[in-house]
Amino acid sequence: EKSAHLYLTDTFQVENDSIMVDGGVAEGSLSLSLIEKLKKLYLIECEPNWLEALRLTFSPWKDKVEIIGKYLSDTADEQNVSIDSMLEVKTDEKYFIKLDVEGYEKQALKGMNHFFSKVKNLKMCVCTYHFDNDAVDIHHILKDKRLNCEFSDGYLLFDNENELPTFRKALIRAWK
């Protein structure tokens, strides 16, 4: 409940029948906890070692789950996918986006320009701790797209062997 990396809160929840994009799925625990209330789920994971486990975990819902073994970015090619390239946005749908893509959150957000211009009902959680200035930069990007924003409570102690340890905001929640 007090985690700085807590995606959902009592007042920030995924709505029933939402279309969810989970960028940086890893083991898929957030998506798995929400699967029954989702209309459609896109799991984007670039790490090949997770893909078979994700296929097995989500096999009971294969009719509404699509697993994409690529990097989430601002381009679409053999190794990358953007949200603009994979989603046909419908203005009457509800969307939930989770981005935890190991420092490529800003690139993923750049690949959502069409999405942001069309979608009307959106909630997002975006990690902001991978690089020192991510919290400020990502907050500006989301505000420029006219989203309401709030940071999660607290900080993470980010310890990278190439840098001094620093306290960083873990994630930002955004909605419109």
Side-chain angles (χ1 to χ4, degrees), residues 12-51:
F12 190 85
Q13 289 290 318
V14 177
E15 295 179 47
N16 287 334
D17 296 320
S18 290
I19 296 170
M20 179 176 173
V21 176
D22 189 342
V25 181
E27 74 285 344
S29 58
L30 177 66
S31 291
L32 188 59
S33 72
L34 298 169
I35 189 66
E36 292 298 335
K37 69 187 321 185
L38 298 174
K39 180 177 186 175
K40 177 79 176 172
L41 173 61
Y42 296 90
L43 301 172
I44 305 170
E45 179 56 55
C46 65
E47 177 54 55
N49 292 331
W50 284 116
L51 297 177

Side-chain angles (χ1 to χ4, degrees), residues 70-151:
K70 294 185 177 190
Y71 292 91
L72 186 58
S73 188
D74 57 346
T75 60
D77 56 32
E78 289 295 315
Q79 295 179 343
N80 301 286
V81 65
S82 70
I83 288 180
D84 280 349
S85 70
M86 62 177 259
L87 285 183
E88 184 181 321
V89 180
K90 297 178 182 165
T91 57
D92 58 336
E93 295 284 5
K94 298 171 279 192
Y95 292 90
F96 181 80
I97 310 288
K98 184 213 91 182
L99 299 178
D100 187 356
V101 289
E102 304 306 313
Y104 290 92
E105 287 80 8
K106 289 182 272 191
Q107 286 86 346
L109 290 168
K110 287 178 189 172
M112 297 174 66
N113 287 325
H114 178 74
F115 177 82
F116 282 130
S117 71
K118 296 288 184 189
V119 71
K120 293 189 185 332
N121 189 337
L122 170 64
K123 290 185 180 179
M124 299 183 71
C125 292
V126 184
C127 287
T128 60
Y129 64 88
H130 294 103
F131 292 106
D132 194 35
N133 226 32
D134 275 354
V136 171
D137 294 345
I138 291 168
H139 184 252
H140 284 304
I141 291 168
L142 296 173
K143 292 302 275 183
D144 285 347
K145 300 298 182 186
R146 299 186 176 359
L147 274 72
N148 301 296
C149 299
E150 71 179 12
F151 284 97

